[in-house]
Amino acid sequence: MTRIDRRTFVKTLGAATGAIAAGLSPAEALAAEHAKKLERIGIQLYTVRGDMEKDFQGTLKQIADIGYKQVEFAGYFGHSPSDVRAILRSLDLDAPSAHIGTPAALTNNWEQTI
């Protein structure tokens, strides 16, 4: 885990605030500040699981509109993998990883989980 000091935090916060004020999305502002450190910025969909359950495609569209390019799923909320793939392609999103449940998901039904 990388630790930062207060000065670095304040500098980063100031740069991001300035970038947002210049019209960049929060994701773009953060990416601009950390361009040398981070190649990709994504969001864990677990953080918006309530919205995903209510409006799966609409929530993904909002995330794409904010400027995110990558997402990590925490369930597909009844959608098939092929439906999810089609939605991601239509929104120009990528899902390089997924949050899955306990190891039981791998031992009891590992083929379906994978």
Side-chain angles (χ1 to χ4, degrees):
M1 182 169 149
T2 303
R3 295 187 184 265
I4 62 171
D5 59 36
R6 185 180 307 181
R7 181 172 294 167
T8 303
F9 173 77
V10 171
K11 178 183 168 192
T12 302
L13 182 61
T17 302
I20 291 169
L24 296 176
S25 73
E28 291 169 328
L30 187 58
E33 175 60 21
H34 291 286
K36 295 177 185 173
K37 297 178 184 177
L38 299 175
E39 294 179 17
R40 299 172 288 188
I41 296 177
I43 186 170
Q44 292 179 330
L45 297 175
Y46 182 80
T47 62
V48 292
R49 63 193 176 278
D51 295 322
M52 291 289 290
E53 188 172 19
K54 292 175 190 169
D55 185 5
F56 186 85
Q57 189 165 352
T59 302
L60 288 172
K61 181 175 182 340
Q62 288 180 336
I63 286 168
D65 289 346
I66 289 170
Y68 286 103
K69 295 295 183 187
Q70 295 189 326
V71 295
E72 179 184 68
F73 279 94
Y76 297 135
F77 301 93
H79 293 79
S80 71
S82 59
D83 288 342
V84 172
R85 182 182 315 119
I87 292 168
L88 291 175
R89 284 184 180 158
S90 73
L91 298 172
D92 195 28
L93 290 172
D94 185 30
S97 62
H99 176 96
I100 60 171
T102 64
L106 291 175
T107 56
N108 294 339
N109 200 4
W110 69 272
E111 289 177 338
Q112 183 178 356
T113 300
I114 292 176

